[in-house]
Protein backbone atom coordinates (compact mmCIF):
# COMPACT_ATOMS: atom_id res chain seq x y z
CA UNK A 1 0.00 0.00 0.00
CA UNK A 2 1.24 3.50 -0.74
CA UNK A 3 2.09 5.68 2.22
CA UNK A 4 -0.57 8.06 3.38
CA UNK A 5 0.26 11.68 4.00
CA UNK A 6 0.02 12.15 7.73
CA UNK A 7 -0.28 15.06 10.12
CA UNK A 8 0.13 14.80 13.87
CA UNK A 9 -1.66 17.49 15.86
CA UNK A 10 -0.11 17.95 19.30
CA UNK A 11 -2.28 19.44 22.02
CA UNK A 12 -0.37 19.73 25.29
CA UNK A 13 0.36 22.33 27.91
CA UNK A 14 4.06 21.94 27.06
CA UNK A 15 5.28 22.28 23.50
CA UNK A 16 8.48 20.41 24.39
CA UNK A 17 6.95 17.81 26.72
CA UNK A 18 6.48 14.04 26.63
CA UNK A 19 3.62 14.16 24.15
CA UNK A 20 5.66 16.21 21.69
CA UNK A 21 8.56 13.80 22.07
CA UNK A 22 6.28 10.87 21.27
CA UNK A 23 4.76 12.76 18.32
CA UNK A 24 8.19 13.54 16.89
CA UNK A 25 9.30 9.91 17.25
CA UNK A 26 6.19 8.68 15.41
CA UNK A 27 6.47 11.46 12.83
CA UNK A 28 10.00 10.40 11.95
CA UNK A 29 8.75 6.86 11.20
CA UNK A 30 5.80 8.06 9.10
CA UNK A 31 7.40 11.10 7.46
CA UNK A 32 4.54 13.02 9.05
CA UNK A 33 4.10 16.73 9.58
CA UNK A 34 3.64 17.93 13.16
CA UNK A 35 1.39 20.80 14.24
CA UNK A 36 1.61 22.24 17.77
CA UNK A 37 -1.75 23.71 18.80
CA UNK A 38 0.10 26.11 21.11
CA UNK A 39 1.19 27.99 17.99
CA UNK A 40 -2.42 28.86 17.10
CA UNK A 41 -5.14 31.00 18.59
CA UNK A 42 -8.21 28.78 18.82
CA UNK A 43 -11.13 30.09 20.81
CA UNK A 44 -13.67 27.82 22.52
CA UNK A 45 -16.73 26.63 20.61
CA UNK A 46 -19.49 29.24 20.48
CA UNK A 47 -23.06 28.41 19.47
CA UNK A 48 -23.29 31.76 17.70
CA UNK A 49 -20.04 31.10 15.82
CA UNK A 50 -18.51 34.42 16.82
CA UNK A 51 -15.02 32.89 16.85
CA UNK A 52 -14.71 32.49 13.10
CA UNK A 53 -11.82 34.96 12.90
CA UNK A 54 -9.43 32.85 14.97
CA UNK A 55 -6.97 30.31 13.51
CA UNK A 56 -9.23 27.25 13.56
CA UNK A 57 -10.67 27.29 10.03
CA UNK A 58 -7.36 28.09 8.36
CA UNK A 59 -5.71 25.34 10.38
CA UNK A 60 -8.42 22.82 9.44
CA UNK A 61 -8.04 23.64 5.74
CA UNK A 62 -4.35 22.74 6.12
CA UNK A 63 -5.12 19.59 8.15
CA UNK A 64 -7.65 18.38 5.59
CA UNK A 65 -4.95 18.23 2.93
CA UNK A 66 -3.59 15.11 4.68
CA UNK A 67 -4.90 11.55 4.35
CA UNK A 68 -4.41 10.65 8.02
CA UNK A 69 -4.89 12.81 11.10
CA UNK A 70 -3.25 11.73 14.35
CA UNK A 71 -4.21 13.57 17.51
CA UNK A 72 -1.60 13.62 20.28
CA UNK A 73 -2.41 14.62 23.84
CA UNK A 74 -1.40 13.86 27.38
CA UNK A 75 -4.01 12.19 29.53
CA UNK A 76 -4.98 14.72 32.20
CA UNK A 77 -7.50 13.38 34.71
CA UNK A 78 -8.47 10.61 32.27
CA UNK A 79 -9.28 13.10 29.52
CA UNK A 80 -7.56 15.03 26.73
CA UNK A 81 -5.72 18.25 27.50
CA UNK A 82 -7.75 21.46 27.53
CA UNK A 83 -6.22 22.68 24.28
CA UNK A 84 -7.00 19.38 22.53
CA UNK A 85 -10.54 19.39 23.89
CA UNK A 86 -11.02 22.95 22.60
CA UNK A 87 -9.72 21.89 19.18
CA UNK A 88 -12.08 18.91 19.12
CA UNK A 89 -15.04 21.03 20.26
CA UNK A 90 -14.43 23.41 17.38
CA UNK A 91 -14.98 20.59 14.90
CA UNK A 92 -18.62 21.45 15.56
CA UNK A 93 -18.03 24.48 13.35
CA UNK A 94 -17.43 22.05 10.49
CA UNK A 95 -20.73 20.31 11.15
CA UNK A 96 -22.87 23.45 11.44
CA UNK A 97 -21.28 26.22 9.35
CA UNK A 98 -18.44 24.90 7.19
CA UNK A 99 -20.19 21.68 6.18
CA UNK A 100 -18.15 21.16 3.00
CA UNK A 101 -15.00 21.03 5.13
CA UNK A 102 -16.67 18.77 7.66
CA UNK A 103 -17.66 16.25 4.99
CA UNK A 104 -14.00 15.90 4.02
CA UNK A 105 -13.30 14.28 7.39
CA UNK A 106 -15.25 11.22 6.20
CA UNK A 107 -12.42 10.33 3.82
CA UNK A 108 -9.69 10.49 6.48
CA UNK A 109 -8.00 7.92 8.63
CA UNK A 110 -7.43 8.82 12.27
CA UNK A 111 -5.26 7.66 15.16
CA UNK A 112 -4.32 8.72 18.67
CA UNK A 113 -1.10 9.25 20.58
CA UNK A 114 -1.36 9.56 24.33
CA UNK A 115 1.03 9.97 27.21
CA UNK A 116 0.52 9.90 30.93
CA UNK A 117 1.86 8.70 34.22
CA UNK A 118 -0.55 5.75 34.52
CA UNK A 119 0.87 2.39 33.41
CA UNK A 120 -2.13 1.93 31.12
CA UNK A 121 -4.72 4.54 30.22
CA UNK A 122 -8.28 4.41 31.45
CA UNK A 123 -10.57 3.10 28.70
CA UNK A 124 -12.58 6.31 28.83
CA UNK A 125 -9.55 8.24 27.51
CA UNK A 126 -9.40 6.41 24.18
CA UNK A 127 -13.17 6.15 24.01
CA UNK A 128 -13.54 9.93 23.71
CA UNK A 129 -11.54 9.79 20.48
CA UNK A 130 -12.98 6.54 19.13
CA UNK A 131 -16.53 7.82 19.45
CA UNK A 132 -15.62 11.19 17.95
CA UNK A 133 -13.86 9.66 14.96
CA UNK A 134 -16.75 7.25 14.45
CA UNK A 135 -19.28 10.09 14.59
CA UNK A 136 -17.27 12.00 11.99
CA UNK A 137 -17.04 8.95 9.72
CA UNK A 138 -13.27 8.69 10.06
CA UNK A 139 -11.52 5.29 9.97
CA UNK A 140 -9.92 4.87 13.40
CA UNK A 141 -6.56 3.06 13.29
CA UNK A 142 -5.85 2.82 17.01
CA UNK A 143 -3.91 4.38 19.84
CA UNK A 144 -0.32 4.36 21.02
CA UNK A 145 -0.09 5.24 24.70
CA UNK A 146 3.24 5.61 26.47
CA UNK A 147 3.61 5.77 30.21
CA UNK A 148 6.03 8.52 31.20
CA UNK A 149 6.34 9.00 34.94
CA UNK A 150 8.75 11.92 34.58
CA UNK A 151 10.14 12.23 31.08
CA UNK A 152 9.79 10.51 27.74
CA UNK A 153 12.66 8.06 27.29
CA UNK A 154 12.75 7.17 23.60
CA UNK A 155 14.49 3.81 24.07
CA UNK A 156 11.81 2.57 26.45
CA UNK A 157 9.11 3.08 23.83
CA UNK A 158 10.97 2.26 20.61
CA UNK A 159 9.41 -1.18 20.12
CA UNK A 160 5.88 0.14 20.73
CA UNK A 161 6.47 2.99 18.27
CA UNK A 162 7.76 0.53 15.65
CA UNK A 163 4.75 -1.76 16.08
CA UNK A 164 2.25 1.11 16.01
CA UNK A 165 3.68 2.67 12.85
CA UNK A 166 3.80 -0.76 11.16
CA UNK A 167 0.09 -1.20 11.91
CA UNK A 168 -0.69 2.25 10.55
CA UNK A 169 1.25 1.60 7.36
CA UNK A 170 -0.36 -1.81 6.90
CA UNK A 171 -3.89 -0.41 6.79
Amino acid sequence: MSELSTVIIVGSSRSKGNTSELALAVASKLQASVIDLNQYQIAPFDYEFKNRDDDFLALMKQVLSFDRIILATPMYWYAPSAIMKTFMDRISDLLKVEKDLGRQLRTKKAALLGTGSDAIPATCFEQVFQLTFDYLGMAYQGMLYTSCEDEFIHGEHLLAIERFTEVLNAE
Side-chain angles (χ1 to χ4, degrees):
M1 169 177 249
S2 64
E3 287 190 30
L4 299 174
S5 62
T6 302
V7 62
I8 301 174
I9 302 171
V10 179
S12 176
S13 296
R14 296 184 299 161
S15 291
K16 304 278 187 208
N18 295 336
T19 304
S20 292
E21 290 294 321
L22 175 60
L24 291 172
V26 170
S28 72
K29 300 286 184 193
L30 298 174
Q31 290 77 50
S33 297
V34 177
I35 292 174
D36 178 2
L37 290 177
N38 287 321
Q39 303 303 311
Y40 297 86
Q41 295 297 317
I42 300 175
F45 175 72
D46 171 19
Y47 283 101
E48 296 177 10
F49 306 101
K50 294 178 181 176
N51 299 327
R52 294 179 52 122
D53 292 329
D54 68 3
D55 295 333
F56 179 75
L57 286 177
L59 175 60
M60 282 308 297
K61 288 175 183 175
Q62 178 185 348
V63 166
L64 289 168
S65 70
F66 293 89
D67 301 313
R68 177 172 37 224
I69 301 166
I70 300 176
L71 300 183
T73 179
M75 181 176 69
Y76 294 148
W77 296 104
Y78 313 104
S81 67
I83 195 168
M84 180 59 72
K85 182 66 172 93
T86 297
F87 175 79
M88 292 171 67
D89 286 349
R90 285 298 296 280
I91 292 172
S92 297
D93 289 19
L94 305 183
L95 304 177
K96 301 289 184 186
V97 179
E98 298 289 338
K99 293 179 183 180
D100 289 339
L101 291 177
R103 285 185 197 101
Q104 291 178 42
L105 290 168
R106 294 181 193 155
T107 65
K108 308 300 177 187
K109 293 186 182 279
L112 173 62
L113 301 177
T115 60
S117 59
D118 291 2
I120 56 172
T123 56
C124 61
F125 175 70
E126 183 178 17
Q127 208 171 34
V128 168
F129 295 92
Q130 283 178 302
L131 293 170
T132 299
F133 294 142
D134 185 54
Y135 183 82
L136 296 170
M138 300 173 76
Y140 182 57
Q141 295 185 291
M143 173 179 74
L144 172 60
Y145 174 85
T146 59
S147 178
C148 311
E149 184 62 37
D150 292 313
E151 63 182 88
F152 182 84
I153 301 171
H154 191 270
E156 289 181 9
H157 306 293
L158 190 56
L159 183 58
I161 292 167
E162 289 285 340
R163 287 181 179 160
F164 182 71
T165 56
E166 286 173 9
V167 167
L168 292 184
N169 282 331
E171 292 186 26

